[in-house]
Amino acid sequence: MADAQRHRSSAARPSLWNDPKARSIVFQTIAIVGVLLFFYYIFQNTLANMEQRGITTGFGFLNNEAGFGILMSLIPYDESNTYGRTFIVGLLNTVLVSFVGIIFATILGFIMGVARLSRNWLIAKLAAVYVDSLRNIPLLLQMFFWYIVVLQTLPGARQSYNFLDSFYLSNRGLNVPSPVFEAGSIGILIALVAGIIGAFVFHRWAHKQQDVSGKQYPVFLVSLGLIIGLPLIAYFVTGMPISWDVPVLGGFNFQGGITIIPEFMALLWALATYTGTFIAEIVRSGIQAVSHGQSEAAHALGLHNSPTLRLVVIPQALRVIIPPLTSQYLNLVKNSSLATAIGYPDLVGVFMGTSLNQTGQAIEIVAMTMAVYLALSLIISFLMNIYNARKALTER
Amino acid sequence: MARTHTPLPDLPPPASTIGMVGWVRTNLLSTPLNVVLTLAAIYLLYISMPPLIGWAILDADFHGSSKDACTSSGACWVFIKARLDFFIYGFYPTSEYWRVNILYVLLAIIIVPQFISNFPRKSWIGIAGLTIFPVIAYILLAGGVFGLTSVETNKWGGLTLTLVISFVGIVAALPIGVLLALGRRSDMPVIRTMCVIFIEIWRGVPLISVLFMASVMLPLFLPEGVNFNKLLRALIGIVMFQSAYMAEVIRGGLQAIPKGQYEAADAMGLSYWKSMSLIILPQALKLVIPGIVNTFIALFKDTTLVLIIGLLDLLRTVQAAYESPEWPDVAAEGLIFAAFVFWIFCFSMSRYSQDLEKKLDTSHKN
């Protein structure tokens, strides 16, 4: 009996060569050794090449003076600053255009996605034309078009388009008034924060009340009142401490206010309209994925159109929409690197372009830039995953 | 005496619900909001369309060969006509255009059957297009053998170069993508981790940084004396980048194959590679053809980025042409032409993939 069992177990054991476990260990060892050898080979070549070209390795160059100007910067910057600072300037510019681009693309995409499903034939067709045309044209080409054909052919500063004597659109960009915060404006900020917290607390309280008693409160209106009303009251109580610095035409350019450079506008417009087409398709398929029976059932329960959309259709559609929407956001951030082609000083433009050409520190700079994009991608995925988890179906 | 009841003939539906009037009422004017939207849309078309049509067609110049022929206020399509050869062939020698033309004919022979359902042996034609065609194309374009004069890759340009890059990108990325996708689903943790890292790194960075890397870092990696030309470096970058995206598409297909298929293949005693190549991959790849076409569309649009590292693709030829002093103020015409070419390719491919998706969809959702 024992003998038979031993016999069986030894028969079930394949030869070493055919043992899946042994084979898998062998294969994995080969893979590791192969990859290590490959990297060692590249590393040796790189060292030899760099020695030959006289490039020193290391990140010491980040403390050297950059010596070139940057068209647009969110933090104070001039030619005497270091490469480390150009990196920060480029990074902030990338983050700025990505962030604003994501907001605009989302709004545009949702409007167009809903418009494509509109029962109004003309609106649906117009939205379809928008989506099908811009989606199939390379983003870089669109960027060139907006920058060269539209924005550079605008009139000069003296003949600029003028709105309300405070907004000026010319080939130098869009000049808008900038707010000037005087003493006491901190009160407004405090009021705004208080308003947001108040709205949040009220929202939770109203939700709890509805769970207990079924009574509904006008959450949206109260929140709106708190968030807008409180700062407004604070504004008047503190004696109107915010004034506007309005751009004024002096010489050949504008003084005062904020100048939004045309490169930024072209990049933002192209990114938002291009990504908007993809978001529109995602929204459309998300809404179509909610079966018609759901809205019929909601109507049968006596819900009107608006609550049906808000409480039944949209929450279910969002589940389908969010994952692909996340990847569109990631695409937008990555596509913002095309800025370098039209001269917007983003991370790739100032750091991977100018700084790399001046220092020749290819490996460090490419690695840093790639690391930044990887980090941005991870952050966005992480935030969207949290949002997705909140919206996901909780099965009971 | 039984009286049979004969109903009167049906009245016609109210005039306001059928025909032209009915269509307008239900599709344009059903609610007050729709009336406003319709009016707004009509106004938008009214202010934008007449000047656009006037510029592009009515007031445009079509005849002539130089900038002097553009006398009217509209678009100068003469520019496109005069520089069309440059846009298609780049700096390819004029005497060798026939070689490129043969390629375009071959490409049409391969692609057209794919759009016709029930065309005999169309999948074989497609497979030949992915395997034999690239070899023929390389021999014809580069020359140097069979008595063809050699043409350096820096002479390649225009639409031809755009097609070369996107085609190489997809053909080379497909097998690498299959391997990466299989690796990502492997039971061996080391292989799986390596594939995941490779895929996620390439997918997390913009193509432009990959191209920069290929053009400035790749020369540092190579041993002394070995030098890749600019096109080859760009192609390596694009293939690496594309294979990561391809791997994710194919992984989707692999995950969609029911577990029973894997188990059945194992039960038949097939080895890993046999079960993959004979059972799993044929099913999985068929499922993801629409996804592959979509990746191809994205790649085709992304090829324009190579102009940033100095290659002469279609967009760059157009840009170079409108920046030259002989043709001032034709940027709009040039960019619209390029946009139109890209649009035709991408739109037809996306329609193709949508049709395929419908054909392959066997669910009963709707």
Side-chain angles (χ1 to χ4, degrees), chain A residues 186-249:
Chain A
I186 188 78
I188 300 172
L189 187 69
I190 293 170
L192 182 68
V193 173
I196 291 172
I197 294 173
F200 185 69
V201 171
F202 181 75
H203 172 79
R204 298 202 63 164
W205 177 81
H207 209 87
K208 215 169 264 174
Q209 287 299 306
Q210 194 186 349
D211 282 350
V212 175
S213 63
K215 191 165 157 36
Q216 289 186 331
Y217 295 88
V219 176
F220 181 73
L221 285 178
V222 172
S223 307
L224 202 69
L226 281 172
I227 291 172
I228 293 179
L230 276 183
L232 213 61
I233 293 168
Y235 176 68
F236 288 110
V237 167
T238 50
M240 296 191 262
I242 298 179
S243 61
W244 293 96
D245 183 13
V246 177
V248 184
L249 187 64

Side-chain angles (χ1 to χ4, degrees), chain B residues 12-343:
Chain B
S16 62
T17 60
I18 52 160
M20 192 67 186
V21 178
W23 185 88
V24 168
R25 281 179 74 119
T26 48
N27 287 303
L28 297 178
L29 309 169
S30 57
T31 60
L33 177 68
N34 267 342
V35 175
V36 173
L37 285 176
T38 305
L39 287 178
I42 289 174
Y43 177 71
L44 195 74
L45 290 175
Y46 171 73
I47 55 164
S48 63
M49 276 297 136
L52 202 63
I53 292 171
W55 179 83
I57 298 166
L58 300 180
D59 297 334
D61 290 295
F62 294 94
H63 303 290
S65 59
S66 73
K67 179 71 187 166
D68 304 328
C70 294
T71 45
S72 55
S73 58
C76 180
W77 298 121
V78 182
F79 166 63
I80 307 297
K81 217 172 82 179
R83 303 308 314 266
L84 192 62
D85 278 356
F86 182 52
F87 297 157
I88 294 177
Y89 306 102
F91 288 119
Y92 212 78
T94 319
S95 58
E96 308 294 323
Y97 278 0
W98 60 272
R99 281 151 63 173
V100 184
N101 292 340
I102 288 180
L103 281 185
Y104 279 115
V105 172
L106 278 179
L107 197 63
I109 291 175
I110 291 165
I111 287 174
V112 170
Q114 309 301 322
F115 284 89
I116 303 167
S117 52
N118 302 327
F119 194 90
R121 309 202 181 267
K122 81 175 183 183
S123 53
W124 286 108
I125 298 175
I127 290 171
L130 291 179
T131 51
I132 307 168
F133 177 68
V135 180
I136 301 174
Y138 179 74
I139 292 172
L140 270 176
L141 279 179
V145 282
F146 304 129
L148 297 168
T149 41
S150 164
V151 180
E152 294 284 313
T153 53
N154 58 12
K155 296 246 172 64
W156 303 10
L159 181 63
T160 314
L161 185 70
T162 296
L163 289 174
V164 165
I165 295 173
S166 38
F167 212 78
V168 172
I170 211 78
V171 171
L174 196 59
I176 304 178
V178 168
L179 289 180
L180 284 170
L182 290 177
R184 196 171 178 162
R185 285 174 59 79
S186 158
D187 295 329
M188 299 182 236
V190 172
I191 308 274
R192 195 170 55 225
T193 318
M194 280 178 185
C195 290
V196 170
I197 291 175
F198 183 93
I199 292 171
E200 293 307 327
I201 284 186
W202 292 119
R203 270 161 42 93
V205 299
L207 178 58
I208 224 178
S209 64
V210 176
L211 288 173
F212 263 108
M213 184 177 150
S215 72
V216 299
M217 264 166 84
L218 202 60
L220 291 178
F221 292 161
L222 296 173
E224 255 193 287
V226 181
N227 230 332
F228 289 169
N229 64 44
K230 217 193 273 177
L231 177 62
L232 186 57
R233 280 182 296 188
L235 282 178
I236 290 174
I238 286 180
V239 167
M240 293 287 118
F241 184 78
Q242 206 57 36
S243 57
Y245 281 85
M246 196 60 89
E248 285 302 272
V249 171
I250 292 166
R251 184 165 72 108
L254 290 177
Q255 282 174 343
I257 305 296
K259 212 172 153 208
Q261 297 288 327
Y262 289 88
E263 288 167 354
D266 284 344
M268 298 297 284
L270 294 176
S271 73
Y272 176 78
W273 291 110
K274 271 198 172 151
S275 76
M276 285 301 145
S277 60
L278 297 175
I279 311 287
I280 307 299
L281 280 175
Q283 302 182 65
L285 287 180
K286 193 181 159 196
L287 275 182
V288 295
I289 292 175
I292 293 177
V293 177
N294 285 339
T295 341
F296 185 65
I297 296 173
L299 170 65
F300 190 71
K301 286 184 289 178
D302 279 347
T303 55
T304 50
L305 268 62
V306 296
L307 72 84
I308 293 170
I309 58 164
L311 287 172
L312 199 76
D313 79 318
L314 173 62
L315 183 55
R316 179 71 195 122
T317 53
V318 170
Q319 206 186 21
Y322 71 65
E323 279 170 354
S324 78
E326 300 153 54
W327 292 96
D329 300 324
V330 288
E333 288 87 339
L335 288 174
I336 288 173
F337 165 75
F340 186 66
V341 173
F342 277 107
W343 185 82

Side-chain angles (χ1 to χ4, degrees), chain A residues 85-164:
Chain A
R85 202 160 173 93
T86 64
F87 173 74
I88 304 289
V89 170
L91 175 60
L92 287 177
N93 283 345
T94 291
V95 171
L96 175 75
V97 79
S98 309
F99 183 72
V100 182
I102 282 176
I103 293 173
F104 281 10
T106 309
I107 296 171
L108 188 66
F110 270 78
I111 293 174
M112 287 299 170
V114 173
R116 262 199 97 167
L117 293 173
S118 165
R119 253 175 282 171
N120 188 321
W121 181 85
L122 200 56
I123 295 289
K125 281 289 168 262
L126 280 180
V129 166
Y130 158 74
V131 169
D132 276 340
S133 60
L134 290 199
R135 200 162 68 122
N136 289 313
I137 296 173
L139 175 61
L140 190 62
L141 203 161
Q142 296 187 33
M143 237 173 238
F144 283 147
F145 186 83
W146 299 121
Y147 184 58
I148 293 164
V149 178
V150 178
L151 289 175
Q152 286 195 344
T153 52
L154 285 174
R158 290 183 159 278
Q159 288 82 36
S160 56
Y161 297 113
N162 174 358
F163 312 99
L164 308 169

Side-chain angles (χ1 to χ4, degrees), chain A residues 11-44:
Chain A
R13 208 190 189 97
S15 68
L16 193 65
W17 175 241
N18 278 331
D19 184 2
K21 248 186 197 156
R23 289 177 80 158
S24 114
I25 290 172
V26 170
F27 281 137
Q28 297 187 57
T29 321
I30 292 175
I32 291 178
V33 171
V35 168
L36 285 181
L37 278 179
F38 177 72
F39 277 112
Y40 179 73
Y41 176 67
I42 283 181
F43 185 67
Q44 286 299 320

